[in-house]
Amino acid sequence: FNESSGKQSHQGSVNLKLVQPSLTEKSLIHFFVDSRLSRCFTFSRDGTLFSWCNGHSVSVVKCSDGSVVSTFDLPKTTLLEFSPLNNVLVTWQPYTSKKSQDSPQGDANLQLWDLQSSQLIKALFQKKVDSWSVCPSWSEDEKICVRSVNNELHFFENNDFNTIANKLHMQKVSDFELSPGGQPSKVAVYVPGSKGAPSFVRLYQYPVLGGPSAALANKSFFKADRVTMQWNKKASAVLVTASTEVDKTGASYYGEQTLHYLAVNGETALVQLPKNGPIYDVAWSPNSAEFCVVYGFMPAKATIYNLKCDPVFDFGTGPRNAAYYSPQGHILVLAGFGNLRGQMEVWDVKKYKQVSKPEAPDATHFSWCPDGEHVVTATCSPRLRVSNGYKIWHYTGSVLHKWDVAAGSELWEVRWQLFPERSFPERAVKYQAVPSELGSTQAQTTQAYRPPALRHLPATPSSKLHEDEPPQNLRPGVSGERSLSKSALKNQKKREAKKASLDVSSKSLQLHLQCGLSGSSETRDVIEFHKF
């Protein structure tokens, strides 16, 4: 974690603790302490390396014993990233336009370093920090690396950054997302609309990037000021959340969002969300076969969809705005952080059964441990500058470890050490809370406020602003029903209403006939009229 004095801004002393799953005080290992001001830190993807900048230099050490791998004289570094196979360290510092004879454009602020030789591979210009997370972007085998430069995507092969191996040129390329996994690599490209033309996202497979038939899939849409693109783990499909800054209908100050689905086989779809309102979060399951969407005006709905964009399970409504799958994909946490009270719903997604419902008030950070058994919640600056600290939980709701910062200090960041994929196998889900000295914080049922003058009277049903919707399983065959689209459901209701009307008419006729057999001639005339 990154702890800093309250008088410092985005800086602090690095104090790394390795916390074992037992999470007792005896298992806390103070690995090293750097008392100098720190600007950033990060783990490598396999968790074997750790790097940080203390305002004087950037250091890279081994997590196993703390031995130094490399040191770089980069005091202004504020962002760090390892390449997937730990061959390259990427450092970024704020861009300055200070010009000189040697550098008329200013100093190159994005630098790529060889971790084996500690030599500079390439110095590049990266002015905008917004695109840091995708620039540069590697495939997991490091055979492909992509950068966005002046509306073009530049592809480099085998970490040779002196030669551009391939280019994808499209007018006004705004964003891209490289697929996970190895070869063949695929890339999703977003081009915003202009002059009445729609925005669109296209999928390409490297190195086939040119020609009218090169795109694997194409999806165009209006109402998009920005998009978020998410590949599933198998790189077979992409979810695109398109957002506008302003909702022209005036229904929401969150703007307006739509969710689109694109598959590498060319299939595209608009994901139908039955409740109006913003899309708070979209999360792929690690099995790549389904995804969860949290959406709608509060209380928000959460629904799991399959690859046909059909709803599989509806979690009903509740105070939530985020979804987190465990690394193994067997547990899903629906949480309400930020301006919500921190309620977490832990679900077994194979049985669709709720495991626990703890609360983490004022939490600004949540992440799963790679073992799929523990989570961490934290209250960090600058989102909240008071009551900073973190808690480590078992997913059954037990608090196993708690730490609060000292007075006058702030907590800026908390991260789990990463591990290679499949390091931790999936374990059977437990429903009984594990023992803990700190207990658990299960959400308590709150009652509606009653004025003092009415508290001595019997409780009466009160009107609500909304009715809570219970969870319901929508899988075909579970209740003998199929999941239907809106139009199919509407037509089905019409058919059922018509059939019910005919049944009522038939019963009414039979009743008149029975009465008319022993009635007068006038009654028989009425019967004949009904027959016609």
Side-chain angles (χ1 to χ4, degrees), residues 184-413:
S185 291
K186 307 174 188 69
V187 62
V189 181
Y190 166 63
V191 176
S194 61
K195 296 180 180 180
S199 305
F200 63 85
V201 170
R202 289 178 183 169
L203 307 185
Y204 294 91
Q205 180 171 300
Y206 187 84
V208 183
L209 305 174
S213 61
L216 301 175
N218 179 78
K219 180 67 175 177
S220 59
F221 43 84
F222 291 94
K223 298 181 180 180
D225 296 328
R226 66 184 187 279
V227 301
T228 301
M229 297 177 287
Q230 296 174 261
W231 284 95
N232 61 5
K233 204 170 185 179
K234 293 182 179 179
S236 61
V238 178
L239 290 172
V240 180
T241 306
S243 305
T244 58
E245 299 295 341
V246 178
D247 185 355
K248 294 183 179 180
T249 64
S252 172
Y253 56 81
Y254 289 103
E256 189 175 359
Q257 293 85 31
T258 53
L259 183 61
H260 306 269
Y261 170 88
L262 292 86
V264 295
N265 61 5
E267 294 180 356
T268 63
L270 172 66
V271 181
Q272 298 290 343
L273 304 177
K275 186 173 184 179
N276 294 328
I279 299 174
Y280 303 105
D281 198 10
V282 179
W284 275 108
S285 170
N287 64 18
S288 299
E290 59 187 26
F291 56 92
C292 181
V293 188
V294 183
Y295 61 96
F297 295 114
M298 287 294 167
K301 289 179 69 70
T303 306
I304 289 181
Y305 293 84
N306 58 21
L307 294 183
K308 294 182 179 179
C309 297
D310 293 328
V312 175
F313 188 85
D314 188 341
F315 294 95
T317 57
R320 76 235 333 181
N321 54 16
Y324 306 94
Y325 277 98
S326 65
Q328 293 76 14
H330 63 317
I331 299 175
L332 174 66
V333 175
L334 302 175
F337 296 137
N339 58 349
L340 300 177
R341 61 176 180 264
Q343 177 178 296
M344 297 182 287
E345 302 171 41
V346 183
W347 287 82
D348 180 346
V349 294
K350 291 186 177 179
K351 297 180 179 179
Y352 292 116
K353 183 178 179 181
Q354 190 172 113
V355 179
S356 61
K357 198 174 181 179
E359 277 193 2
D362 301 328
T364 61
H365 171 81
F366 175 100
S367 60
W368 274 98
C369 178
D371 67 357
E373 294 281 309
H374 304 86
V375 300
V376 63
T377 60
T379 303
C380 302
S381 292
R383 180 66 175 83
L384 288 176
R385 298 186 181 273
V386 295
S387 301
N388 284 186
Y390 69 86
K391 292 179 181 178
I392 297 178
W393 311 67
H394 190 267
Y395 64 79
T396 55
S398 301
V399 181
L400 303 181
H401 179 71
K402 180 181 179 181
W403 183 85
D404 298 319
V405 299
S409 297
E410 294 176 348
L411 180 66
W412 285 88
E413 191 172 5

Side-chain angles (χ1 to χ4, degrees), residues 44-45 81-90 138 142 159:
S44 62
R45 296 192 186 184
E81 189 72 28
F82 288 96
S83 64
L85 299 180
N86 301 339
N87 292 319
V88 181
L89 177 69
V90 186
W138 274 275
E142 292 193 14
N159 288 329

Side-chain angles (χ1 to χ4, degrees), residues 447-518:
Q447 296 181 353
Y449 172 78
R450 300 189 68 199
L454 300 178
R455 291 175 184 173
H456 67 284
L457 299 176
T460 57
S462 58
S463 59
K464 296 182 179 179
L465 294 178
H466 57 81
E467 291 294 334
D468 294 331
E469 297 181 19
Q472 54 180 329
N473 202 328
L474 303 176
R475 288 182 298 179
V478 173
S479 58
E481 297 179 356
R482 294 179 53 206
S483 298
L484 300 175
S485 64
K486 286 185 175 180
S487 58
L489 186 61
K490 185 177 180 180
N491 292 332
Q492 184 187 39
K493 289 182 178 179
K494 286 182 178 179
R495 290 193 298 269
E496 291 176 352
K498 185 177 181 180
K499 182 180 178 182
S501 177
L502 291 174
D503 291 342
V504 170
S505 299
S506 176
K507 291 180 181 179
S508 177
L509 178 59
Q510 292 175 7
L511 179 61
H512 281 82
L513 284 170
Q514 291 173 1
C515 295
L517 289 176
S518 60

Side-chain angles (χ1 to χ4, degrees), residues 64-132:
S64 58
D65 56 9
S67 59
V68 178
V69 176
S70 300
T71 303
F72 305 96
D73 184 20
L74 300 168
K76 297 181 180 180
T77 299
T78 56
L79 292 171
L80 293 165
E81 189 72 28
F82 288 96
S83 64
L85 299 180
N86 301 339
N87 292 319
V88 181
L89 177 69
V90 186
T91 62
W92 182 89
Q93 60 186 9
Y95 173 76
T96 58
S97 58
K98 185 178 180 180
K99 300 180 181 180
S100 63
Q101 293 181 352
D102 297 332
S103 56
Q105 297 181 0
D107 295 330
N109 60 327
L110 179 68
Q111 298 169 320
L112 311 179
W113 302 88
D114 188 324
L115 281 174
Q116 298 296 327
S117 63
S118 299
Q119 298 298 314
L120 179 66
I121 300 175
K122 190 73 174 180
L124 304 165
F125 291 92
Q126 182 68 41
K127 298 181 181 181
K128 295 182 179 180
V129 72
D130 294 341
S131 56
W132 161 258

